[in-house]
Amino acid sequence: MLFKSTLVTIVVACLSVVAVQAHSSIEYPCPRYANFKGCPAPPKGKQSSTPATKRFKVKAGQTISTKYNIGASHGGGHCQWALSYDNGKNWVVIHTVMRNCLKGAQFGANVKIPVKIPSSAPGGKAILQWYWNNAIGNRELYSNCIDIDVQGKNGGKLSGVQPLIANYGRKSYHIPEFPGAKDKDGSDAFKKRRKITITVPKRK
């Protein structure tokens, strides 16, 4: 999946639930190839880059009560949610929570965060991706993908900013640990996320 950060172009895959579940993971809607109760079993031999056969249906303008399975909350951190209509080539951020995302969540807890699909979101098959840069601990990026079917207008445009990809390898933007309120947390880089407009062609 292609992203353009304020520094370099970085390829980021939809990480598997197994890779992030020891820390925290989206549990609802079902992320790609999850083993959570009520989620469809992954097809044999498929990778996390393969879209799910069953998509979560959502209406443009609807707010999804996303739910997270907490392994460790690492002092909270920054979360972004973004939409892609071209299988991950281009992304538009639709929601951001700075510093306090998952903060204080205990092991085994189920945390809910409302995420609104923009009313201007075109209809069609899309991917909703969640990114989390933790405040405390190893400097990493956690992520899940949800395959969705947006019920919206036929064709159109969606504008916003591109996700900031941080702490994902040596070439990505680096955010140090920020346990204190006055610690540098990369917020300046989030404010400089590049603007983007994607166009979704009309379906015939």
Side-chain angles (χ1 to χ4, degrees), residues 154-180:
N154 186 4
K157 296 182 179 182
L158 183 64
S159 297
V161 295
Q162 296 176 330
L164 174 70
I165 305 305
N167 299 345
Y168 188 77
R170 291 178 297 175
K171 293 183 179 181
S172 69
Y173 185 83
H174 178 73
I175 300 175
E177 289 186 279
F178 50 98

mmCIF file of all heavy atoms in Angstrom, residues 154-180:
data_model
loop_
_atom_site.group_PDB
_atom_site.id
_atom_site.type_symbol
_atom_site.label_atom_id
_atom_site.label_comp_id
_atom_site.label_asym_id
_atom_site.label_seq_id
_atom_site.Cartn_x
_atom_site.Cartn_y
_atom_site.Cartn_z
ATOM 1 N N ASN A 154 -23.107 7.255 -6.500
ATOM 2 C CA ASN A 154 -22.393 6.550 -7.555
ATOM 3 C C ASN A 154 -21.307 7.464 -8.130
ATOM 4 O O ASN A 154 -21.584 8.379 -8.901
ATOM 5 C CB ASN A 154 -23.368 6.132 -8.658
ATOM 6 C CG ASN A 154 -22.703 5.258 -9.710
ATOM 7 O OD1 ASN A 154 -21.527 4.904 -9.588
ATOM 8 N ND2 ASN A 154 -23.437 4.906 -10.741
ATOM 9 N N GLY A 155 -20.072 7.203 -7.725
ATOM 10 C CA GLY A 155 -18.960 8.026 -8.175
ATOM 11 C C GLY A 155 -18.845 9.311 -7.380
ATOM 12 O O GLY A 155 -19.752 9.703 -6.641
ATOM 13 N N GLY A 156 -17.695 9.943 -7.485
ATOM 14 C CA GLY A 156 -17.495 11.209 -6.779
ATOM 15 C C GLY A 156 -16.080 11.354 -6.264
ATOM 16 O O GLY A 156 -15.187 10.580 -6.623
ATOM 17 N N LYS A 157 -15.883 12.360 -5.426
ATOM 18 C CA LYS A 157 -14.559 12.659 -4.900
ATOM 19 C C LYS A 157 -14.575 12.670 -3.374
ATOM 20 O O LYS A 157 -15.603 12.942 -2.753
ATOM 21 C CB LYS A 157 -14.071 14.009 -5.424
ATOM 22 C CG LYS A 157 -13.865 14.050 -6.938
ATOM 23 C CD LYS A 157 -13.339 15.407 -7.379
ATOM 24 C CE LYS A 157 -13.106 15.431 -8.894
ATOM 25 N NZ LYS A 157 -12.550 16.728 -9.350
ATOM 26 N N LEU A 158 -13.416 12.373 -2.807
ATOM 27 C CA LEU A 158 -13.231 12.437 -1.357
ATOM 28 C C LEU A 158 -11.905 13.139 -1.092
ATOM 29 O O LEU A 158 -10.864 12.725 -1.609
ATOM 30 C CB LEU A 158 -13.226 11.030 -0.751
ATOM 31 C CG LEU A 158 -13.114 10.956 0.778
ATOM 32 C CD1 LEU A 158 -14.336 11.593 1.427
ATOM 33 C CD2 LEU A 158 -12.964 9.513 1.233
ATOM 34 N N SER A 159 -11.960 14.203 -0.304
ATOM 35 C CA SER A 159 -10.764 15.004 -0.030
ATOM 36 C C SER A 159 -10.391 14.938 1.445
ATOM 37 O O SER A 159 -11.236 14.747 2.310
ATOM 38 C CB SER A 159 -10.996 16.463 -0.439
ATOM 39 O OG SER A 159 -11.227 16.579 -1.826
ATOM 40 N N GLY A 160 -9.108 15.123 1.711
ATOM 41 C CA GLY A 160 -8.612 15.131 3.080
ATOM 42 C C GLY A 160 -7.102 15.201 3.070
ATOM 43 O O GLY A 160 -6.509 15.857 2.221
ATOM 44 N N VAL A 161 -6.478 14.482 4.005
ATOM 45 C CA VAL A 161 -5.022 14.408 4.062
ATOM 46 C C VAL A 161 -4.591 12.950 3.997
ATOM 47 O O VAL A 161 -5.374 12.034 4.287
ATOM 48 C CB VAL A 161 -4.464 15.057 5.350
ATOM 49 C CG1 VAL A 161 -4.756 16.540 5.365
ATOM 50 C CG2 VAL A 161 -5.021 14.373 6.599
ATOM 51 N N GLN A 162 -3.348 12.746 3.608
ATOM 52 C CA GLN A 162 -2.786 11.404 3.591
ATOM 53 C C GLN A 162 -2.341 11.007 4.994
ATOM 54 O O GLN A 162 -1.986 11.867 5.807
ATOM 55 C CB GLN A 162 -1.586 11.353 2.639
ATOM 56 C CG GLN A 162 -1.941 11.619 1.193
ATOM 57 C CD GLN A 162 -0.710 11.663 0.308
ATOM 58 O OE1 GLN A 162 0.371 12.034 0.759
ATOM 59 N NE2 GLN A 162 -0.872 11.297 -0.951
ATOM 60 N N PRO A 163 -2.347 9.715 5.312
ATOM 61 C CA PRO A 163 -1.864 9.292 6.632
ATOM 62 C C PRO A 163 -0.385 9.612 6.805
ATOM 63 O O PRO A 163 0.390 9.563 5.858
ATOM 64 C CB PRO A 163 -2.082 7.769 6.614
ATOM 65 C CG PRO A 163 -3.024 7.506 5.495
ATOM 66 C CD PRO A 163 -2.784 8.580 4.484
ATOM 67 N N LEU A 164 -0.015 9.941 8.031
ATOM 68 C CA LEU A 164 1.396 10.050 8.377
ATOM 69 C C LEU A 164 1.858 8.677 8.823
ATOM 70 O O LEU A 164 1.320 8.109 9.773
ATOM 71 C CB LEU A 164 1.617 11.053 9.509
ATOM 72 C CG LEU A 164 3.060 11.120 10.027
ATOM 73 C CD1 LEU A 164 3.976 11.746 8.984
ATOM 74 C CD2 LEU A 164 3.145 11.878 11.330
ATOM 75 N N ILE A 165 2.845 8.124 8.121
ATOM 76 C CA ILE A 165 3.390 6.818 8.463
ATOM 77 C C ILE A 165 4.652 7.037 9.276
ATOM 78 O O ILE A 165 5.659 7.523 8.761
ATOM 79 C CB ILE A 165 3.683 5.990 7.194
ATOM 80 C CG1 ILE A 165 2.431 5.893 6.335
ATOM 81 C CG2 ILE A 165 4.179 4.603 7.584
ATOM 82 C CD1 ILE A 165 1.210 5.344 7.049
ATOM 83 N N ALA A 166 4.574 6.708 10.548
ATOM 84 C CA ALA A 166 5.690 6.956 11.465
ATOM 85 C C ALA A 166 6.096 5.675 12.172
ATOM 86 O O ALA A 166 5.275 4.771 12.384
ATOM 87 C CB ALA A 166 5.295 8.013 12.498
ATOM 88 N N ASN A 167 7.384 5.594 12.511
ATOM 89 C CA ASN A 167 7.937 4.443 13.246
ATOM 90 C C ASN A 167 7.685 3.120 12.526
ATOM 91 O O ASN A 167 7.403 2.099 13.131
ATOM 92 C CB ASN A 167 7.366 4.393 14.669
ATOM 93 C CG ASN A 167 7.708 5.630 15.475
ATOM 94 O OD1 ASN A 167 8.585 6.396 15.085
ATOM 95 N ND2 ASN A 167 7.026 5.831 16.580
ATOM 96 N N TYR A 168 7.806 3.182 11.197
ATOM 97 C CA TYR A 168 7.637 1.994 10.363
ATOM 98 C C TYR A 168 8.907 1.837 9.524
ATOM 99 O O TYR A 168 8.935 2.124 8.340
ATOM 100 C CB TYR A 168 6.400 2.140 9.479
ATOM 101 C CG TYR A 168 6.029 0.881 8.715
ATOM 102 C CD1 TYR A 168 5.388 -0.170 9.349
ATOM 103 C CD2 TYR A 168 6.320 0.759 7.360
ATOM 104 C CE1 TYR A 168 5.037 -1.317 8.653
ATOM 105 C CE2 TYR A 168 5.970 -0.379 6.657
ATOM 106 C CZ TYR A 168 5.340 -1.412 7.306
ATOM 107 O OH TYR A 168 4.989 -2.547 6.611
ATOM 108 N N GLY A 169 9.976 1.429 10.174
ATOM 109 C CA GLY A 169 11.244 1.284 9.471
ATOM 110 C C GLY A 169 12.076 2.558 9.542
ATOM 111 O O GLY A 169 11.615 3.624 9.939
ATOM 112 N N ARG A 170 13.330 2.442 9.143
ATOM 113 C CA ARG A 170 14.290 3.527 9.287
ATOM 114 C C ARG A 170 13.974 4.740 8.425
ATOM 115 O O ARG A 170 14.367 5.860 8.746
ATOM 116 C CB ARG A 170 15.698 3.025 8.964
ATOM 117 C CG ARG A 170 16.255 2.035 9.995
ATOM 118 C CD ARG A 170 17.626 1.536 9.593
ATOM 119 N NE ARG A 170 17.577 0.785 8.343
ATOM 120 C CZ ARG A 170 18.643 0.312 7.713
ATOM 121 N NH1 ARG A 170 19.853 0.548 8.208
ATOM 122 N NH2 ARG A 170 18.517 -0.378 6.598
ATOM 123 N N LYS A 171 13.291 4.552 7.309
ATOM 124 C CA LYS A 171 13.039 5.658 6.396
ATOM 125 C C LYS A 171 11.776 6.445 6.738
ATOM 126 O O LYS A 171 11.527 7.503 6.158
ATOM 127 C CB LYS A 171 12.953 5.146 4.962
ATOM 128 C CG LYS A 171 14.269 4.616 4.416
ATOM 129 C CD LYS A 171 14.124 4.197 2.963
ATOM 130 C CE LYS A 171 15.438 3.692 2.385
ATOM 131 N NZ LYS A 171 15.306 3.301 0.960
ATOM 132 N N SER A 172 10.971 5.943 7.644
ATOM 133 C CA SER A 172 9.738 6.635 7.984
ATOM 134 C C SER A 172 9.991 7.700 9.053
ATOM 135 O O SER A 172 11.050 7.736 9.687
ATOM 136 C CB SER A 172 8.676 5.639 8.474
ATOM 137 O OG SER A 172 9.040 5.094 9.730
ATOM 138 N N TYR A 173 9.018 8.562 9.233
ATOM 139 C CA TYR A 173 9.125 9.613 10.245
ATOM 140 C C TYR A 173 9.230 8.971 11.635
ATOM 141 O O TYR A 173 8.530 7.994 11.929
ATOM 142 C CB TYR A 173 7.890 10.518 10.169
ATOM 143 C CG TYR A 173 7.958 11.703 11.097
ATOM 144 C CD1 TYR A 173 8.635 12.855 10.736
ATOM 145 C CD2 TYR A 173 7.355 11.641 12.349
ATOM 146 C CE1 TYR A 173 8.705 13.945 11.592
ATOM 147 C CE2 TYR A 173 7.415 12.726 13.210
ATOM 148 C CZ TYR A 173 8.088 13.873 12.834
ATOM 149 O OH TYR A 173 8.166 14.937 13.688
ATOM 150 N N HIS A 174 10.099 9.533 12.488
ATOM 151 C CA HIS A 174 10.316 8.963 13.815
ATOM 152 C C HIS A 174 9.632 9.799 14.884
ATOM 153 O O HIS A 174 9.844 11.010 14.969
ATOM 154 C CB HIS A 174 11.809 8.870 14.133
ATOM 155 C CG HIS A 174 12.086 8.333 15.511
ATOM 156 N ND1 HIS A 174 11.920 7.004 15.841
ATOM 157 C CD2 HIS A 174 12.489 8.955 16.650
ATOM 158 C CE1 HIS A 174 12.225 6.828 17.122
ATOM 159 N NE2 HIS A 174 12.571 7.988 17.636
ATOM 160 N N ILE A 175 8.792 9.140 15.693
ATOM 161 C CA ILE A 175 8.165 9.770 16.849
ATOM 162 C C ILE A 175 8.773 9.141 18.096
ATOM 163 O O ILE A 175 8.658 7.933 18.304
ATOM 164 C CB ILE A 175 6.637 9.555 16.861
ATOM 165 C CG1 ILE A 175 5.998 10.150 15.601
ATOM 166 C CG2 ILE A 175 6.029 10.191 18.107
ATOM 167 C CD1 ILE A 175 4.510 9.868 15.488
ATOM 168 N N PRO A 176 9.434 9.929 18.941
ATOM 169 C CA PRO A 176 10.000 9.361 20.177
ATOM 170 C C PRO A 176 8.892 9.039 21.176
ATOM 171 O O PRO A 176 7.722 9.379 20.960
ATOM 172 C CB PRO A 176 10.893 10.499 20.696
ATOM 173 C CG PRO A 176 10.257 11.737 20.160
ATOM 174 C CD PRO A 176 9.672 11.371 18.823
ATOM 175 N N GLU A 177 9.252 8.369 22.257
ATOM 176 C CA GLU A 177 8.278 8.115 23.312
ATOM 177 C C GLU A 177 7.793 9.449 23.884
ATOM 178 O O GLU A 177 8.561 10.392 24.020
ATOM 179 C CB GLU A 177 8.892 7.278 24.429
ATOM 180 C CG GLU A 177 9.163 5.836 24.034
ATOM 181 C CD GLU A 177 9.647 5.006 25.217
ATOM 182 O OE1 GLU A 177 10.854 5.095 25.520
ATOM 183 O OE2 GLU A 177 8.823 4.302 25.823
ATOM 184 N N PHE A 178 6.500 9.509 24.229
ATOM 185 C CA PHE A 178 5.959 10.756 24.771
ATOM 186 C C PHE A 178 5.023 10.479 25.958
ATOM 187 O O PHE A 178 3.824 10.720 25.908
ATOM 188 C CB PHE A 178 5.243 11.581 23.689
ATOM 189 C CG PHE A 178 4.237 10.845 22.849
ATOM 190 C CD1 PHE A 178 2.879 10.915 23.126
ATOM 191 C CD2 PHE A 178 4.648 10.089 21.754
ATOM 192 C CE1 PHE A 178 1.947 10.267 22.326
ATOM 193 C CE2 PHE A 178 3.714 9.436 20.958
ATOM 194 C CZ PHE A 178 2.363 9.518 21.252
ATOM 195 N N PRO A 179 5.604 9.987 27.058
ATOM 196 C CA PRO A 179 4.775 9.714 28.238
ATOM 197 C C PRO A 179 4.262 10.968 28.926
ATOM 198 O O PRO A 179 3.204 10.943 29.570
ATOM 199 C CB PRO A 179 5.726 8.938 29.152
ATOM 200 C CG PRO A 179 7.091 9.378 28.737
ATOM 201 C CD PRO A 179 7.013 9.605 27.264
ATOM 202 N N GLY A 180 4.991 12.088 28.822
ATOM 203 C CA GLY A 180 4.601 13.320 29.486
ATOM 204 C C GLY A 180 3.855 14.271 28.580
ATOM 205 O O GLY A 180 4.011 14.246 27.350
#
